[in-house]
Amino acid sequence: MSMRIGYGFDSHAFKTGVPLIIGGLPIEHPEGLAGHSDGDVLLHAITDALLGAVSAGDIGTFFPPSDPRWKGAASSVFLQTALEEVATAGYKIVNIDTVLVMAKPKIVPIANELRESVSRLLGVKPGEVGIKAKTPEGLNQDHVAVAHATVLLESLEVPEPVSLRTLEAEADEDRDIEMNVVVRGLVGDSRDVSALGRKIPAFDTDDLT
């Protein structure tokens, strides 16, 4: 079994007139996040972490902002592509940890909802997703949302081909048969002990008085 670690980062400025979506979850807020797609900063960071873990490039490799097809697209589409790349590489998610850095809205009150939304999109348990929040104190980023994501992957167990398992089972069965023959030859009622270096008595001991 092999392990892979991936790290992702993304940032978006707040913008009026667009909905705020984080982790695939619509959030009530006067401003949303500017971006070519829906601006979901958290899913973008997770997508990059997944792609990076399997050396598949980054989100811009698959969905360049210059492509009009992705204008306003849901970031869950990007995430699904990253999950496919992970599966193709022969890995699965062990757990994922994230940090959101923003002044508003407050993330702590909705952290559980975010965790459930992200875990559902990833196809993992909520307990395998970490959602943390920090304020950008001293960073002069009060009007920006930043996301960091780290993911741990492990290789999938590939089942042995049926034909190989069958051959091994047959070989084991043959060995068992051979062993039974040897055992019967050693402990059977009519064994020849001369080959073992033992001497057979020349007379019947029952005749001794």
Side-chain angles (χ1 to χ4, degrees):
M1 177 183 297
S2 64
M3 313 293 285
R4 292 285 188 95
I5 296 175
Y7 168 74
F9 165 88
D10 196 33
S11 64
H12 287 280
F14 281 92
K15 179 182 178 181
T16 57
V18 296
L20 177 60
I21 300 175
I22 299 177
L25 182 71
I27 299 173
E28 288 292 334
H29 193 66
E31 298 177 307
L33 293 174
H36 187 62
S37 61
D38 60 4
D40 193 329
V41 66
L42 182 57
L43 291 192
H44 292 178
I46 294 174
T47 297
D48 264 355
L50 291 170
L51 292 173
V54 294
S55 301
D58 61 13
I59 194 170
T61 304
F62 292 86
F63 309 100
S66 58
D67 192 333
R69 290 180 299 171
W70 313 120
K71 179 66 177 178
S75 295
S76 57
V77 174
F78 308 158
L79 186 64
Q80 183 59 43
T81 297
L83 290 173
E84 291 171 359
E85 290 295 317
V86 168
T88 300
Y91 287 85
K92 66 177 181 178
I93 296 173
V94 176
N95 74 296
I96 188 163
D97 193 23
T98 66
V99 179
L100 285 165
V101 184
M102 61 183 70
K104 294 180 180 180
K106 297 300 181 182
I107 297 300
V108 173
I110 59 173
N112 285 335
E113 292 180 72
L114 280 173
R115 185 178 296 108
E116 291 177 0
S117 177
V118 171
S119 65
R120 183 172 59 255
L121 291 171
L122 292 174
V124 299
K125 299 176 182 178
E128 297 167 344
V129 176
I131 301 288
K132 304 189 297 296
K134 302 291 182 181
T135 56
E137 296 179 12
L139 298 178
N140 195 27
Q141 294 180 346
D142 290 348
H143 208 61
V144 176
V146 176
H148 301 266
T150 305
V151 63
L152 176 64
L153 307 180
E154 68 177 2
S155 57
L156 294 168
E157 294 183 3
V158 180
E160 299 178 31
V162 175
S163 58
L164 179 59
R165 290 202 302 268
T166 302
L167 289 174
E168 290 179 345
E170 291 176 352
D172 290 340
E173 183 178 352
D174 291 341
R175 284 194 295 270
D176 291 342
I177 293 174
E178 293 174 359
M179 182 60 70
N180 289 336
V181 171
V182 173
V183 172
R184 284 198 301 271
L186 292 175
V187 302
D189 294 336
S190 60
R191 69 186 184 281
D192 182 4
V193 296
S194 61
L196 300 178
R198 300 176 186 173
K199 293 184 179 180
I200 301 175
F203 52 85
D204 190 351
T205 54
D206 289 338
D207 293 337
L208 296 178
T209 58

